[in-house]
Amino acid sequence: MELEAKSVYFFSQQDEDFFFEWIGRIGCINNVVGRGDTIYIGLDQNAVLEDEVWEIVAVFSRYRVPLAQLGALDRAGYSRVLRKELRRLSAQKSEGTQELE
């Protein structure tokens, strides 16, 4: 699975470095490539742990990356709270919003 972070705005070089460091620490992410104004984040969809999903939500929220695409990570084994949040994020795709409640 590949997530996309388009037109991410970094306030400084250190801010950009931290983004890539943070993403790089998430175990299920196996590839990060920038092309043009988009950062492509590859992950093993079958190996995503619940804590890793929360980390992805956190980094995407911090850098204002659209969260709707995270709905595809919904899994039966996750907590009810996370599954509800992922469904809500997925529903936002049609509404064009990306904020957490």
Side-chain angles (χ1 to χ4, degrees), residues 16-35:
E16 182 176 354
D17 293 345
F18 186 67
F19 172 86
F20 286 100
E21 182 180 326
W22 192 357
I23 284 290
R25 287 185 190 165
I26 301 172
C28 63
I29 293 177
N30 54 29
N31 190 33
V32 180
V33 176
R35 284 191 297 271

Side-chain angles (χ1 to χ4, degrees), residues 46-73:
N46 297 317
V48 181
L49 303 174
E50 183 166 342
D51 288 346
E52 293 170 334
V53 177
W54 283 117
E55 280 301 309
I56 294 169
V57 169
V59 73
F60 275 31
S61 295
R62 161 62 183 88
Y63 289 95
R64 299 195 170 275
V65 176
L67 296 167
Q69 61 189 314
L70 301 182
L73 297 176

Side-chain angles (χ1 to χ4, degrees), residues 37-93:
D37 70 345
T38 304
I39 302 165
Y40 297 93
I41 302 164
L43 56 91
D44 181 353
Q45 193 171 1
N46 297 317
V48 181
L49 303 174
E50 183 166 342
D51 288 346
E52 293 170 334
V53 177
W54 283 117
E55 280 301 309
I56 294 169
V57 169
V59 73
F60 275 31
S61 295
R62 161 62 183 88
Y63 289 95
R64 299 195 170 275
V65 176
L67 296 167
Q69 61 189 314
L70 301 182
L73 297 176
D74 189 7
R75 296 287 174 268
Y78 294 158
S79 71
R80 199 172 335 146
V81 173
L82 178 58
R83 295 195 74 211
K84 181 179 177 185
E85 185 65 20
L86 290 173
R87 283 189 217 108
R88 189 184 67 75
L89 294 172
S90 183
Q92 289 180 355
K93 185 179 277 186

Side-chain angles (χ1 to χ4, degrees), residues 5-23:
K6 293 183 180 186
S7 302
V8 176
Y9 183 81
F10 300 108
F11 290 93
S12 68
Q13 184 60 52
Q14 189 171 11
D15 191 33
E16 182 176 354
D17 293 345
F18 186 67
F19 172 86
F20 286 100
E21 182 180 326
W22 192 357
I23 284 290

